[in-house]
Amino acid sequence: MPEVSQTLGDSAFERIKAMILDGTLEPGTLLREKKFADRLGVSRTPVREAIGQLISQGLAIRSESGAPVVNSVSLSDIMEILHVRSLLECETAKKAALAGKPTEALLTCRAEFVGFLEGPRPDAQVHSALDSRLHLEIARLAGSKLLIQLVEGLKVKTGMFDQGSIPDRLIPGCHEHIAIIDAITAQSPDAAGAAMKLHLANVRDAIISHIYHPF
């Protein structure tokens, strides 16, 4: 029975997390156990577990009254996060390029980004999921569990800020990700690091532009 409860809790966590990252649940939204239990079709126990995970990852916080609410990330927070990501992920991309032959998962990511460029525009959640898969696959290629954990945590916090609300980044982002993959595939660490640095700098600039020129 505990294993079933944990599985339901993980599922509830992923579903609520997705709603936070795609902007369905805005910062400050109260996370009521009963409301989300009804919405997700589960009991309150897995929702309670999910809220605990959200708080531990910084996606939710306790308000002054003690109630859990969706967290927010300030512009200064995101600038710091992206600075740290650049330092970390540029080295990660270099290590991935030195790891040998690219994995099937990496090449699959490339094919999907090409598909985004050639086919129908994906919704924000689908694009965000592929973006995360690629960054985590690069960390896996670099060969460090700690890197995977750090990249995942920082990537989530970046997603909390933009919440898929910067549509002009889709096409440039696809080209940037393909360039990163191609440099890793070519086993060129300097090119991989430079491509990752350019990508994260463009993410930073797009977020700043969106804040000051939202329309």
Side-chain angles (χ1 to χ4, degrees), residues 64-197:
E64 292 184 2
S65 66
V69 297
V70 176
N71 197 6
S72 62
V73 179
S74 69
L75 180 58
S76 61
D77 289 337
I78 201 67
M79 292 301 102
E80 183 176 2
I81 289 167
L82 285 168
H83 175 67
V84 174
R85 280 189 61 189
S86 183
L87 294 173
L88 178 67
E89 293 195 61
C90 288
E91 289 304 311
T92 301
K94 290 180 182 179
K95 288 186 177 182
L98 294 170
K101 292 180 64 177
T103 62
E104 183 177 345
L106 189 71
L107 297 178
T108 297
C109 286
R110 189 189 192 284
E112 291 183 41
F113 279 117
V114 171
F116 287 173
L117 293 172
E118 297 178 347
R121 190 185 190 95
D123 63 36
Q125 190 170 341
V126 170
H127 180 228
S128 177
L130 177 57
D131 186 304
S132 295
R133 274 170 46 208
L134 173 61
H135 285 267
L136 292 178
E137 181 58 25
I138 292 171
R140 275 189 283 270
L141 270 172
S144 169
K145 290 182 179 180
L146 178 58
L147 279 175
I148 295 172
Q149 293 172 356
L150 292 172
V151 169
E152 182 175 25
L154 292 170
K155 188 75 179 63
V156 165
K157 291 183 182 298
T158 308
M160 284 176 65
F161 187 90
D162 65 68
Q163 298 177 327
S165 62
I166 310 178
D168 290 344
R169 279 294 301 154
L170 174 63
I171 301 303
C174 287
H175 286 296
E176 291 160 17
H177 283 124
I178 290 170
I180 294 167
I181 294 169
D182 287 348
I184 291 173
T185 302
Q187 298 182 9
S188 175
D190 289 342
M196 181 66 78
K197 183 175 183 179

Side-chain angles (χ1 to χ4, degrees), residues 54 68 111 124:
L54 292 167

Side-chain angles (χ1 to χ4, degrees), residues 28-50:
T29 300
L30 182 61
L31 299 174
R32 294 189 178 91
E33 287 181 15
K34 185 179 186 309
K35 175 182 176 181
F36 282 93
D38 293 342
R39 185 170 184 172
L40 301 179
V42 297
S43 70
R44 294 176 68 163
T45 298
V47 172
R48 188 176 305 121
E49 293 174 358

